[in-house]
Amino acid sequence: MTKHKTLFLTQRGLQHQQWAMEGAPAELELIMRRGASREELLALLADAEFLITERTGVIDAEMIAAAPKLRLIQRLGRQTWDIDLDAAQRAGVPVCYWPIEGCVMVAEHMMLQMLGLLKRVREAMHVTAEAADYGVETKRGDEDTFAYNWSRRGGIGKLTGATVGILGFGEIGLELVEQLQGFHCTVLYHKRTRLPESVEAQLRLEYAAPDAIAARSDIICSLLPYQGPQEPIDASYFARMKPGALFVHCGSGATVDEGALLDALRAGHLAGAALDTYTYEPLRPADPLVQAVQDPTLNLILTPHIAAGGITAGGHSRTQDYDNILALLAGRELRYRIA
């Protein structure tokens, strides 16, 4: 069988790299690199037929010129502003993006977290299931007979018009912004490398430092990657957040000081918090988070690291990474082509 040399440029950790390698079709000779030097990349491109890339740096004219055998540039995700499309067109190399289904689902999960906290869903479900007597007579409803807010709940908010800050902006952040646009939110973001101004304007984003995001945001969405043994979102950061703000987290585990988060929540400084990843997984009964979530009035939502969907580790995305390459080899139409 002919093997087609495929260079896969990634920022994934070793486990995720392994899943991608395992999902590669037999037709491909896959070479995966994280953090390679430019010299090494130019050398590897010399006989590469396919280039798969995940926001790992600019794909410029020199790189495209160094790859005379190149048949396709496949960007995983929808961020394509760092690919020289003109150079690719001159070279006759098609360029495609590919929406990452797991990222779409994580963004949807963050919408659930935000709306669930704003509407105090856990407390509302508890109150409803409790069916307590609030001194209101039960009657059959019609257009003029109803018992609106019979339990006299307060603190119910709205997402429309809120200021939302995103810490760590990659593919999930992009998908989240797309979903927030219908709510007319002001969106602040921070990432290590600022987006081009043209992209910020297109997405209606405002770049801000983490402290400014803390001070201005009604809701902070944490999508931070793992950064070492010290959690970057700690007690001092929670203290800098607006009183009554919400905190939601679908970033890497071990990036949030969970004890400090509980302190801020119990003190009333934060109005709610939702987590999908944790410093120690799976959660066990003795974990303070598990103890805290027993109180439905605390406005704390915990989910068991499922934001990307109910799939096994690695998931279906590892085969989708190669779908356009297989389509090209089979003479089928490319999907999500932009050049």
Side-chain angles (χ1 to χ4, degrees), residues 137-149:
E137 182 183 355
T138 298
K139 298 179 180 179
R140 187 182 191 281
D142 59 33
E143 62 181 345
D144 297 314
T145 305
F146 46 82
Y148 180 76
N149 195 7

Side-chain angles (χ1 to χ4, degrees), residues 60-68 91:
D60 57 23
E62 183 184 15
M63 294 177 67
I64 294 170

Side-chain angles (χ1 to χ4, degrees), residues 5-323:
K5 184 173 178 181
T6 303
L7 179 58
F8 195 136
L9 305 182
T10 185
Q11 293 292 346
R12 304 181 190 192
L14 292 176
Q15 180 60 77
H16 289 277
Q17 290 184 42
Q18 182 62 37
W19 286 327
M21 296 283 286
E22 291 171 356
E27 298 93 324
L28 304 186
E29 177 192 346
L30 193 64
I31 301 170
M32 185 165 287
R33 288 292 184 272
R34 174 178 172 173
S37 68
R38 185 171 183 84
E39 292 73 18
E40 182 184 9
L41 293 180
L42 292 174
L44 289 170
L45 284 166
D47 57 352
E49 291 186 61
F50 303 108
L51 173 61
I52 301 173
T53 170
E54 297 181 300
R55 307 182 323 276
T56 53
V58 173
I59 306 299
D60 57 23
E62 183 184 15
M63 294 177 67
I64 294 170
K69 299 180 181 179
L70 198 60
R71 302 171 64 184
L72 174 67
I73 298 173
Q74 177 66 66
R75 169 56 56 86
L76 301 182
R78 296 196 295 114
Q79 300 185 60
T80 58
W81 44 80
D82 56 359
I83 300 175
D84 191 330
L85 300 181
D86 291 336
Q89 288 181 325
R90 290 194 299 269
V93 179
V95 180
C96 300
Y97 71 91
W98 193 278
I100 301 173
E101 186 170 328
C103 294
V104 175
M105 294 184 73
V106 174
E108 290 179 351
H109 194 89
M110 295 199 94
M111 296 296 294
L112 175 148
Q113 289 176 320
M114 287 186 278
L115 290 167
L117 293 175
L118 285 163
K119 308 304 178 184
R120 302 189 70 89
V121 166
R122 290 193 65 246
E123 180 181 356
M125 291 179 65
H126 173 76
V127 167
T128 306
E130 189 180 40
D133 184 356
Y134 287 93
V136 180
E137 182 183 355
T138 298
K139 298 179 180 179
R140 187 182 191 281
D142 59 33
E143 62 181 345
D144 297 314
T145 305
F146 46 82
Y148 180 76
N149 195 7
W150 72 74
S151 65
R152 305 294 187 264
R153 310 324 296 169
I156 300 171
K158 63 182 178 67
L159 181 57
T160 299
T163 297
V164 179
I166 303 175
L167 298 174
F169 192 92
E171 284 298 324
I172 298 170
L174 176 61
E175 298 292 348
L176 183 60
V177 166
E178 294 285 334
Q179 296 181 28
L180 283 169
Q181 286 181 350
F183 289 87
H184 310 290
C185 295
T186 298
V187 182
L188 315 175
Y189 83 100
H190 182 81
K191 63 178 300 185
R192 285 170 290 190
T193 303
R194 183 175 178 176
L195 297 171
E197 289 185 4
S198 60
V199 176
E200 291 179 349
Q202 175 188 345
L203 297 176
R204 293 183 295 222
L205 288 173
E206 181 182 340
Y207 182 80
D211 281 354
I213 288 177
R216 295 175 55 189
S217 297
D218 301 306
I219 308 168
I220 289 183
C221 298
S222 166
L223 289 165
L224 291 174
Y226 179 72
Q227 299 179 33
Q230 186 65 39
E231 295 95 345
I233 303 180
D234 56 13
S236 64
Y237 194 80
F238 291 126
R240 292 194 292 276
M241 288 176 61
K242 288 174 59 174
L246 304 176
F247 178 81
V248 303
H249 175 66
C250 282
S252 176
T255 56
V256 177
D257 184 333
E258 295 159 358
L261 174 61
L262 285 177
D263 288 343
L265 194 57
R266 286 176 170 137
H269 180 65
L270 297 184
L275 304 173
D276 186 60
T277 63
Y278 309 92
T279 299
Y280 293 95
E281 297 184 0
L283 292 179
R284 298 303 186 197
D287 192 295
L289 286 169
V290 175
Q291 301 299 314
V293 82
Q294 305 307 312
D295 177 5
T297 67
L298 191 57
N299 207 19
L300 174 65
I301 296 175
L302 305 180
T303 49
H305 202 154
I306 56 165
I311 55 178
T312 56
H316 42 258
S317 63
R318 47 182 181 149
T319 53
Q320 291 181 337
D321 293 348
Y322 311 103
D323 279 5

